[in-house]
Amino acid sequence: MIKTNSKIICAFSALLLAAGCASNGIDLSKTYTQQSALSGKNGTYKVGNPYKIAGKTYYPEEDYGYSETGVASWYGKDFHAKYTANGEIYDMNTLTAAHRTLPLPSIVRVTNLENGRSLILRVNDRGPFAKDRIIDISKRGAQLLGFLNQGTAKVRVEIMEEESKRLKEALLNKKEEPLIAQRGLISDVASEYNAPAIRENTAYQYKKGSYFVQAGAYKSRSTAEKLSAQLRKYGVSNIYKVNVKGTDFYRVRLGPYKHEMEAKIAMDKMVNNGVYEAQVVKD
């Protein structure tokens, strides 16, 4: 919703390249972007001053009791790769949203009252400013909530207080890799499961063309171990170590799956339980 600065976009692209790699046509930079949407990297925490749009004044505030019912819409390619209101880069394929007054970023639960679907989203932008709409959702979010084709839906939006406060603290203190997720799926405490071994790509053979659900790629081995262990409830979870320009990254994946639909079912379960960056990849 703000004009894009080409120099900063180029710098951001370099960061993406450093964080991911291309393997058999899979561009892992997209995974990094999705992690960014969760953790707040490349953006700042802000509440903001009152502002006026089309003659109406809006008053941003930290309202951790916020709950509202109204109409949701979604926004896509017209804003893709442009700045959000708190300085991030908008990616329509991640689970983010725009709200007129909530702190940026905040974590909210959005429930589609027309079909019962519920999803956790991260608010990192301002909007919508169309009459009677209370939240603008990313294209991916609209797909999962089931209103992409119709364009709008009646929803209930509720802020998640604990998760939002943890994200605020992480950004203000500039902590690395804050772990924010629904129902403590990813946590800072020790996992109840045994941590899996790190497997080199060459040590674990699978059939070419297999499908995986990639839950994330991290510099921290311990972070990858925690996530991988807790994801075992969804299927076979493994960690793959890759080296990108001299830096080691640990990719957390479920699979392999023979059919893409199997992977998509697993991915949707993970997304609906707070693993926002999950995506299907073919390797």
Side-chain angles (χ1 to χ4, degrees), residues 121-248:
L121 297 167
R122 183 173 176 279
V123 175
N124 66 349
D125 207 356
R126 288 292 178 225
F129 301 108
K131 185 178 180 181
D132 298 327
R133 297 181 185 179
I134 64 172
I135 193 167
D136 242 353
I137 295 173
S138 65
K139 179 180 179 180
R140 178 59 175 155
Q143 286 175 325
L144 292 176
L145 284 170
F147 71 90
L148 182 69
N149 292 333
Q150 68 192 58
T152 61
K154 185 177 181 180
V155 300
R156 180 171 60 250
V157 181
E158 305 164 283
I159 194 168
M160 300 182 72
E161 180 177 2
E162 180 182 350
E163 288 82 355
S164 296
K165 287 181 176 179
R166 287 181 62 194
L167 184 52
K168 171 188 175 181
E169 179 185 3
L171 289 173
L172 292 179
N173 294 330
K174 300 188 182 303
K175 291 181 181 178
E176 225 178 301
E177 298 174 350
L179 301 178
I180 310 294
Q182 180 184 9
R183 303 189 191 98
L185 176 62
I186 309 171
S187 65
D188 293 307
V189 300
S191 170
E192 59 183 300
Y193 303 96
N194 294 323
I198 302 297
R199 298 185 176 185
E200 301 288 347
N201 282 351
T202 56
Y204 182 53
Q205 301 299 321
Y206 51 85
K207 186 177 180 180
K208 285 295 182 182
S210 296
Y211 293 94
F212 294 84
V213 181
Q214 182 152 307
Y218 303 91
K219 290 182 181 179
S220 167
R221 172 174 172 163
S222 62
T223 298
E225 287 177 340
K226 291 176 186 177
L227 176 55
S228 182
Q230 294 187 52
L231 292 181
R232 288 182 178 178
K233 66 185 73 176
Y234 300 106
V236 178
S237 176
N238 288 292
I239 298 174
Y240 301 85
K241 181 180 177 182
V242 294
N243 187 280
V244 182
K245 294 188 175 181
T247 301
D248 288 335

Side-chain angles (χ1 to χ4, degrees), residues 61-121:
E61 62 176 334
E62 290 185 333
D63 181 5
Y64 293 114
Y66 172 83
S67 178
E68 186 177 7
T69 297
V71 176
S73 51
W74 65 273
Y75 63 126
K77 64 181 181 180
D78 289 345
F79 300 97
H80 186 70
K82 293 183 172 63
Y83 289 124
T84 66
N86 73 329
E88 297 175 28
I89 304 298
Y90 174 61
D91 184 342
M92 66 182 180
N93 299 306
T94 59
L95 298 181
T96 59
H99 192 276
R100 292 170 295 194
T101 59
L102 287 177
L104 304 178
S106 297
I107 304 297
V108 297
R109 185 198 312 276
V110 179
T111 302
N112 185 339
L113 299 177
E114 297 172 8
N115 61 18
R117 294 186 186 181
S118 184
L119 194 62
I120 306 301
L121 297 167

